[in-house]
Amino acid sequence: MRIGIVCYPTFGGSGVLATELGKALADKGHQVHFITYQQPVRLGEFNANIFYHEVLVPTYPLFDYPPYETALASTMVNVIVNNNLDLLHVHYAIPHASAAYMAKKIVEKQGKNIPVITTLHGTDITLVGKDATFAPVVAFSINESDAITAVSDNLRDETHRNFKIEKEIQVIKNFVDVKRFKRKPFDAFRKVIAPNGEKIVLHASNFRKIKRVGDVVKIFANIVKTVPSKLLFVGDGPERQLAESMSRELDLCDHMRFVGRQEQMEDILAIADLFLLTSEYESFGLAALEAMAAGVPVVSTDAGGLPEINIHGKTGYLGHIGDVETMSSQAISILSDETKLKLFKHNAEQQAMLFDISTVIPQYEALYNRFLPTS
Ligand code: GMT
């Protein structure tokens, strides 16, 4: 199959998932064409089946707001026609679904049918998508897609709650390549972070408000009072300043590090003992799944789709949004009990297996096959 994939190329979960999907499809022999404004961060090494088409938006004095969506739709048209694509799979509705609708209509005039599949990832529905500024276009373009998928049951239900969707929304959950995350801890690295054998707690995100990183700092402040431990913050974003100033106020600077954006999450996760995810909403929580694949238990909120992956009392614990005290006790109960820690690590790995790439990619292929002409 010749598949066009449109996504955000940055560190966000939707871009990571779309890139990993494209790479896996290419490994299975499909021809994959990424259409984005930058090379996706996880694209990595050369693969003969992967093509990358950059969306260029020309500047012009009149353009206070460069017309990205128009440039994207035009690039889609060129890639569809010049490479005779079989289908277009767009990740994150805004503005990818509406640009895909435009491209579909343009190639239709040229006698070509291009099926469009839209995968909803979370904030394209629950935050920005439902904002009145975007909602009519989002609802229209989702409905005009030939197929719609959502990354969790929760996101499917949220989409129905927020929009009048006339088609079935198929749930195809986020996935992880479990093999890749099975790494032996790099002892020298562990020693640098935790020289006296302290436990290592990790948070990774884009530091947006929705992640409530302040709660991570507060929970860690409670943990460190009982369990000798270190906190690693991976990622960057608007709330990083807040996390930094809170850690100064709480006198935690010697116990934590901000390591910025990292591509080799598997190396970092390999030395971690606990993953904290305090989000106000997560449609799924891919970062938590990657942690579990590396055998790291998770203490998270019970928001959105998180209970679909983090099993309370088994792979970690769930607390209510903002309930710092409960999540602190939960984290301490795992970190202070070696037997429990070992059991939860094992359970986390087993749970991640349910979402292994090998079980999820065929679901996308089956969906694509429904749209191929039968000859
Ligand atoms: O988490 C983010 O803010 C990034 C966001 C994105 O769209 O890139 O992630 C969303 O998509 C991921 C992949 O499907 C999900 O695992 C995340 O839970 C989801 N984030 C939210 O719903 C906040």
Side-chain angles (χ1 to χ4, degrees):
M1 252 181 271
R2 289 176 297 272
I3 303 155
I5 291 189
V6 182
C7 63
Y8 282 101
T10 52
F11 278 89
S14 62
V16 166
L17 191 98
T19 311
E20 297 294 353
L21 171 64
K23 281 163 43 179
L25 290 166
D27 285 342
K28 292 187 91 174
H30 301 290
Q31 203 182 86
V32 178
H33 294 260
F34 283 98
I35 306 168
T36 64
Y37 59 80
Q38 238 173 51
Q39 175 128 334
V41 282
R42 285 239 187 139
L43 205 48
E45 62 216 42
F46 175 77
N47 181 318
N49 285 335
I50 294 183
F51 298 80
Y52 165 61
H53 309 270
E54 189 160 314
V55 181
L56 294 168
V57 191
T59 52
Y60 186 66
L62 196 61
F63 295 161
D64 277 347
Y65 301 97
Y68 176 66
E69 196 171 332
T70 308
L72 175 61
S74 295
T75 311
M76 285 174 179
V77 169
N78 292 336
V79 177
I80 294 165
V81 171
N82 296 334
N83 300 279
N84 196 18
L85 294 192
D86 294 310
L87 61 87
L88 203 55
H89 187 173
V90 304
H91 292 259
Y92 206 91
I94 306 171
H96 302 151
S98 44
Y101 170 74
M102 172 79 97
K104 184 181 171 77
K105 288 289 159 195
I106 294 170
V107 299
E108 211 169 86
K109 285 262 181 220
Q110 301 172 19
K112 182 164 174 71
N113 172 44
I114 184 87
V116 171
I117 293 171
T118 298
T119 290
L120 308 172
H121 279 274
T123 48
D124 46 352
I125 296 298
T126 57
L127 199 68
V128 265
K130 70 179 187 193
D131 188 296
T133 324
F134 300 115
V137 173
V138 171
F140 174 80
S141 49
I142 292 175
N143 274 318
E144 288 296 319
S145 304
D146 294 279
I148 312 160
T149 78
V151 299
S152 64
D153 296 338
N154 172 271
L155 183 58
R156 176 200 52 208
D157 298 346
E158 282 296 322
T159 309
H160 283 305
R161 243 192 301 281
N162 287 294
F163 297 101
K164 201 170 170 314
I165 301 296
E166 294 138 11
K167 289 199 172 83
E168 185 207 343
I169 302 176
Q170 184 180 345
V171 174
I172 303 185
K173 296 198 176 182
N174 278 183
F175 59 84
V176 65
D177 182 356
V178 173
K179 268 193 321 303
R180 187 177 134 206
F181 285 88
K182 271 197 196 321
R183 285 281 173 104
K184 283 221 155 42
F186 183 35
D187 283 341
F189 178 33
R190 202 185 157 106
K191 271 226 151 63
V192 171
I193 304 296
N196 301 308
E198 295 92 339
K199 292 283 183 273
I200 298 177
V201 179
L202 189 74
H203 170 81
S205 75
N206 51 23
F207 286 65
R208 301 228 173 95
K209 250 197 161 53
I210 203 166
K211 306 290 172 180
R212 296 182 65 100
V213 288
D215 287 356
V216 175
V217 180
K218 288 185 203 159
I219 292 170
F220 181 69
N222 287 334
I223 295 175
V224 83
K225 282 183 205 151
T226 317
V227 184
S229 44
K230 299 285 180 184
L231 173 64
L232 279 184
F233 264 123
V234 180
D236 213 338
E239 296 287 287
R240 177 171 166 169
Q241 291 301 327
L242 171 88
E244 283 191 23
S245 62
M246 279 180 71
S247 50
R248 277 193 294 274
E249 275 159 33
L250 294 168
D251 202 17
L252 293 171
C253 296
D254 292 343
H255 303 285
M256 55 198 276
R257 273 186 194 221
F258 291 84
V259 298
R261 296 189 176 108
Q262 297 288 329
E263 278 178 47
Q264 299 303 322
M265 271 313 285
E266 55 273 36
D267 292 333
I268 300 174
L269 285 165
I271 63 161
D273 296 295
L274 184 74
F275 190 81
L276 287 179
L277 194 59
T278 50
S279 310
E280 206 165 287
Y281 182 76
E282 283 299 335
S283 64
F284 182 92
L286 183 59
L289 179 64
E290 291 190 340
M292 286 185 203
V296 182
V298 173
V299 168
S300 72
T301 56
D302 54 5
L306 284 167
E308 294 175 42
I309 53 163
N310 186 18
I311 310 301
H312 187 70
K314 196 173 167 202
T315 61
Y317 288 109
L318 298 162
H320 297 316
I321 301 162
D323 188 351
V324 166
E325 291 313 314
T326 300
M327 287 186 276
S328 304
S329 321
Q330 292 169 339
I332 292 166
S333 85
I334 298 175
L335 293 171
S336 59
D337 177 346
E338 283 303 326
T339 314
K340 190 184 229 182
L341 179 60
K342 209 168 153 206
L343 175 68
F344 276 38
K345 277 178 179 247
H346 170 77
N347 292 345
E349 256 183 271
Q350 294 298 306
Q351 171 73 353
M353 284 300 295
L354 303 177
F355 301 89
D356 188 50
I357 193 165
S358 59
T359 65
V360 178
I361 301 300
Q363 297 175 38
Y364 279 115
E365 285 178 301
L367 174 64
Y368 296 165
N369 277 322
R370 278 181 27 211
F371 294 96
L372 288 190
T374 45
S375 53

